[in-house]
Structures are given as structure tokens and as C-alpha cells.
Amino acid sequence: MKQTAVRLPDETYERLQAMAEKTGRTATFYIREAIEAHLEDLEDVYMADAVLARREQGDARTVNLDELDSALGLDG
């Protein structure tokens, strides 16, 4: 497991510490939970942005549902 440092605004830090104290968990637990909960969403956003940029540059294209069905042999 790797370790990293995170700088937080004072208000966020205080909220995190209060939650840890109220629940008996560590602040590290909640930081890890938050990152894991949102990392996949962030990856999806960045992937979509990259695909959109490729499409705008003409390096990728889209297909409509009928074309997709036909390509997958589902049109019959």
C-alpha cells in the first residue's frame, strides 16, 4: 500500500475530523472511502473528454443504434 499527502481547506479538515470523532473511524478511512467512491466517475469523465476531443479532431466517429445493431448482427 502506498502513502500520500493531501492538503485540505480548514473547513474540510475540521468536518473530516468531526466525522471521525463521532464515528470512531479515522480520517484516513474517510479520505480513502471518498477517493474510491469517486475515482471511477472521474476516470469516466476524463475518458469521455478524450473521446470527444478525438471525435472533434476527426480521429474517431460515432454510430447510430441501427448501425450498431447491424454490426453486432442484431438487426434481424
Side-chain angles (χ1 to χ4, degrees):
M1 185 175 296
K2 300 290 183 186
Q3 185 174 347
T4 190
V6 178
R7 292 184 187 272
L8 300 172
D10 291 344
E11 181 183 349
T12 302
Y13 177 82
E14 290 166 10
R15 289 174 61 199
L16 182 62
Q17 291 302 319
M19 186 160 177
E21 288 175 21
K22 288 177 187 174
T23 62
R25 299 263 189 183
T26 64
T28 301
F29 170 83
Y30 288 112
I31 292 169
R32 186 173 37 250
E33 286 289 303
I35 290 170
E36 290 175 359
H38 297 284
L39 186 56
E40 186 172 344
D41 292 339
L42 291 171
E43 290 168 334
D44 289 345
V45 168
Y46 287 114
M47 177 69 76
D49 286 345
V51 170
L52 182 58
R54 286 195 350 254
R55 186 175 183 282
E56 289 173 350
Q57 294 171 357
D59 295 333
R61 70 180 197 93
T62 59
V63 296
N64 64 38
L65 183 57
D66 291 335
E67 292 171 319
L68 181 60
D69 284 347
S70 180
L72 295 174
L74 302 174
D75 56 352

